[in-house]
Amino acid sequence: DHDWYFDNETRYLEPAFSGVLSLGWNPSQSRWLAQWQHEQTLSNDTTMTLDWNDYSDSAVSADFKNATALTPYAHQGVDLSKPFLGSDAVVTVERWKIIDESRAASLKPYARQPGIKLSGSSYPSNFGAATWVADVSQFEKNLTPTQIATLNTTNGATANGWREALTLAYAAPFSIAGLQVAPGARVEMATYQLTTPGTGRQTAPNRLQPTTWIDVGTDLGGALGDSQWTHYLTPKMQWVYSPYTDQYQAPLFDTGMAAFGEGQLFKTSRFSGMDRSGDMNRLSASVATEWRNSTTGAAITGSVAQLVRLSPERTGLASDLNTTNQPQESPIFAKAKWAPSSVLSLALAFDWNTTLERAERQTVAVELTPNTNQRLFAEGTRTWASNVPQDTLLVSGFTPMAQRWGLAASIDYNVTDKQLQNSLIGIEYDSCCWNVRLLDKLNWMSEADNSVTNSLFIEFTLKGLGQNNSQVDALLSEHINGYNGRIYR
C-alpha cells in the first residue's frame, strides 16, 4: 500500500569515533526520516555523544524500522561526559522539535538547556558503599507566547524553570549468624526556580526526603552427601520506609512512576527521575529454591514473593492519590521450572490476587533447545481484566533446514479474540561472507475480518559491513524467544 521506498542504515567505526546514520525516504507518501547517533572521543578524557533526529510526520513508523518508538516530537541533543572529582560528569544541551503540531503545548516534553549531572560511587572501606547524584539543569519547553497562553495556569503547566537536586545514599552490608544483612539510607533534596507555576503555587518550591531500608537474606544448602545433586534455599526480606511529604508544588521535568510488577518488589524508590520521592512503608519477602544435578544438568527451581504495604502510599505524579482502593498486599508472584536435562524445560508462573482471591495471570511455557542454532518455545498465557479472561498463545522457534539454510518463525495468537498479531516467518541462507534473508510479518485482524496485513522484508548483508541490529535482526530478536542474531554464527 505504500509503494517502494528507501531505508538505509550506515554504521561506521574508527578508533576515535563511531556512530549510526539512518535515512529513509518514501516518495509516494512524501515521508522521510533522518537519525544520527555519533560518539566522539575528545581530548582530556572527554566524550561527546550526539543524538539528532528529524521526521516528516508522526506516522513515519508505518515505513521505517528505526521509527517504531517515535513520539510526536524529535529529540536533538548533545552530551559531553568526563571524569571529574571522582564522579562521572555529563553536560547536556537538547531540544525537542515539534513533529505533530496538533499536540497540546502542555504535552511537549521538557529539554535540558543546559543540564549538568554528577554521579558516582565510593567504597571507602570493606564496610559499605556511598553513591551520589547531583543535578543542576534548566528545563525548557521552548513554547511561543501563544502556546504559553494555552497552558492551564490553575494546575500549573510550568513552561520552564531551574532545578538543583542532590541524592546521597549509603549502604553497609555485613554478615551475622549466617545472615547477610544490608541496611541502607538515602536522602533526596531538590529546589526549583519556576516561571508560570500556576495560580497560587510557589515559584521556588523545595523538598527534603529521607529513606531507610534493610535487606536480610541467607543461602541455605549445598551438596547433598555423596550425590551429584545440590540444593539451595534462599529466603530474603526487605523493609523500606520513606515518610510522606507534600510534593505537589514541584513540577515533573523528567520524572515518572514505574509500573508496579514483580520487578518492583525490592526497589527502594517508586520513581525514575529527581522530581519525586515516593512515601513508602513496605515489607517484601521472597523464597527461592533450586535443585541441580551437576552431571545431567537436570534442575528444579521455584520462587514465591509478595509485598505488603504497611501504610497507604500517597504521593502521586501530580497530586496525592486516592488511596481508598489501594490494595494493602501485592499479588503473590509464584514461579516454578523443571528441566529434566539441559535441552528441555517446563515453566509455570502465576500472579495470585489475594484481595480478589483469583489469579491475575497464569503462564505455561515449554522450551526445547537441542543445540545453539535450534530452538522451540511455546507459551500459553491467561490474564484477567475486569473479571474477563484473555487467552493468548505464542509459539516461536528457529532451526536449520539444510546446509546453510535456516527457518525462523513466530506465531502470536489471541485465542479469545481469534486474532493473529505480530507474527513472523522467515527463511535465510548464510555463506561465509554474506547472508540473505526473506521475512514476512503478518497480522490477521480477526476471524470475522479475515484480511491479512503483510510486511515483506528482503535483506542482503555483507558480513564485514553489518553484523548486528539490522532490520530483520531486530524483528526476529524481538518476537522469537532466544534468537540472538543468526541461526548460523
Side-chain angles (χ1 to χ4, degrees):
D1 294 336
H2 287 74
D3 211 339
W4 290 94
Y5 61 91
F6 171 83
D7 189 8
N8 175 71
E9 181 177 88
T10 300
R11 295 176 174 268
Y12 54 91
L13 175 65
E14 289 292 335
F17 61 87
S18 63
V20 181
L21 176 65
S22 300
L23 300 172
W25 179 46
N26 185 337
S28 67
Q29 301 292 312
S30 298
R31 180 170 291 150
W32 54 267
L33 167 146
Q35 294 179 314
W36 186 24
Q37 288 81 43
H38 177 84
E39 184 172 310
Q40 178 87 43
T41 301
L42 305 176
S43 59
N44 300 319
D45 296 325
T46 303
T47 300
M48 180 189 71
T49 303
L50 175 70
D51 180 42
W52 189 89
N53 306 271
D54 203 356
Y55 321 111
S56 59
D57 61 89
S58 59
V60 290
S61 59
D63 289 329
F64 305 119
K65 159 207 158 189
N66 287 338
T68 53
L70 289 184
T71 67
Y73 309 100
H75 181 261
Q76 301 170 350
V78 61
D79 292 341
L80 291 175
S81 58
K82 175 182 173 60
F84 179 74
L85 297 178
S87 303
D88 295 320
V90 180
V91 178
T92 300
V93 178
E94 62 185 351
R95 68 186 292 265
W96 292 88
K97 180 180 177 181
I98 297 178
I99 303 300
D100 184 357
E101 297 286 353
S102 66
R103 298 275 288 189
S106 61
L107 299 179
K108 185 179 179 181
Y110 290 100
R112 283 181 166 88
Q113 297 182 339
I116 302 175
K117 178 177 286 189
L118 292 172
S119 61
S121 58
S122 176
Y123 301 87
S125 67
N126 293 328
F127 188 78
T131 60
W132 59 87
V133 179
D135 177 275
V136 178
S137 297
Q138 181 182 23
F139 291 90
E140 297 276 357
K141 283 193 173 184
N142 300 117
L143 302 179
T144 66
T146 302
Q147 291 172 325
I148 292 177
T150 67
L151 299 180
N152 188 327
T153 57
T154 301
N155 293 331
T158 307
N160 55 65
W162 282 89
R163 181 188 70 194
E164 298 87 31
L166 176 64
T167 297
L168 300 173
Y170 186 80
F174 62 92
S175 298
I176 182 172
L179 296 176
Q180 289 82 49
V181 183
R186 181 177 65 245
V187 60
E188 298 167 88
M189 299 167 278
T191 62
Y192 299 83
Q193 293 84 44
L194 308 175
T195 61
T196 62
T199 304
R201 298 182 64 186
Q202 300 175 11
T203 58
N206 59 77
R207 63 180 176 85
L208 176 67
Q209 184 81 12
T211 302
T212 58
W213 64 88
I214 184 169
D215 293 328
V216 180
T218 187
D219 291 325
L220 304 174
L224 299 179
D226 297 330
S227 72
Q228 299 166 342
W229 285 89
T230 57
H231 175 238
Y232 291 95
L233 184 68
T234 310
K236 180 181 178 180
M237 182 175 293
Q238 180 193 75
W239 175 66
V240 56
Y241 177 74
S242 186
Y244 169 75
T245 57
D246 182 359
Q247 302 170 45
Y248 180 52
Q249 297 288 340
L252 289 167
F253 285 143
D254 63 352
T255 301
M257 181 185 291
F260 184 80
E262 185 177 2
Q264 299 294 313
L265 291 183
F266 290 94
K267 297 292 186 180
T268 60
S269 176
R270 294 193 284 127
F271 295 93
S272 62
M274 305 184 75
D275 295 313
R276 290 291 186 275
S277 300
D279 58 307
M280 305 173 73
N281 188 10
R282 294 178 169 186
L283 186 64
S284 303
S286 70
V287 178
T289 184
E290 176 183 307
W291 297 77
R292 187 171 297 277
N293 189 300
S294 59
T295 302
T296 65
I300 302 173
T301 61
S303 65
V304 178
Q306 189 181 28
L307 176 148
V308 177
R309 298 176 179 88
L310 302 179
S311 59
E313 297 170 348
R314 292 176 286 178
T315 303
L317 288 177
S319 60
D320 289 345
L321 294 171
N322 184 343
T323 62
T324 303
N325 297 321
Q326 186 181 86
Q328 182 181 5
E329 301 173 348
S330 77
I332 297 175
F333 300 96
K335 295 184 290 187
K337 186 175 183 178
W338 172 51
S341 69
S342 59
V343 173
L344 176 66
S345 68
L346 171 66
L348 305 173
F350 70 87
D351 304 343
W352 181 263
N353 189 312
T354 57
T355 303
L356 301 178
E357 296 186 344
R358 65 163 173 79
E360 290 186 345
R361 180 181 64 93
Q362 293 176 321
T363 301
V364 179
V366 178
E367 299 179 27
L368 179 63
T369 312
N371 49 60
T372 57
N373 64 348
Q374 191 174 31
R375 181 181 178 87
L376 176 65
F377 177 81
E379 179 181 82
T381 302
R382 168 168 285 191
T383 57
W384 277 263
S386 301
N387 293 322
V388 178
Q390 288 282 325
D391 297 321
T392 58
L393 176 65
L394 173 65
V395 180
S396 67
F398 51 90
T399 182
M401 292 193 305
Q403 188 173 6
R404 310 309 297 180
W405 285 91
L407 177 68
S410 174
I411 305 300
D412 189 349
Y413 183 67
N414 188 313
V415 180
T416 303
D417 297 337
K418 299 180 179 179
Q419 180 178 346
L420 192 67
Q421 51 199 12
N422 294 323
S423 297
L424 311 170
I425 183 167
I427 188 171
E428 69 178 85
Y429 179 78
D430 193 282
S431 79
C432 62
C433 304
W434 53 270
N435 174 277
V436 62
R437 283 187 283 192
L438 175 67
L439 177 69
D440 186 30
K441 182 180 179 181
L442 55 97
N443 289 274
W444 177 26
M445 303 311 295
S446 67
E447 191 175 57
D449 178 11
N450 58 11
S451 60
V452 178
T453 59
N454 284 72
S455 299
L456 185 65
F457 301 88
I458 303 171
E459 180 181 85
F460 175 79
T461 306
L462 296 174
K463 290 188 177 181
L465 299 180
Q467 283 289 340
N468 299 300
N469 298 320
S470 72
Q471 186 165 14
V472 175
D473 271 345
L475 286 169
L476 291 173
S477 298
E478 178 183 356
H479 294 284
I480 297 180
N481 186 284
Y483 189 91
N484 60 359
R486 291 191 173 94
I487 295 176
Y488 297 98
R489 302 296 291 175

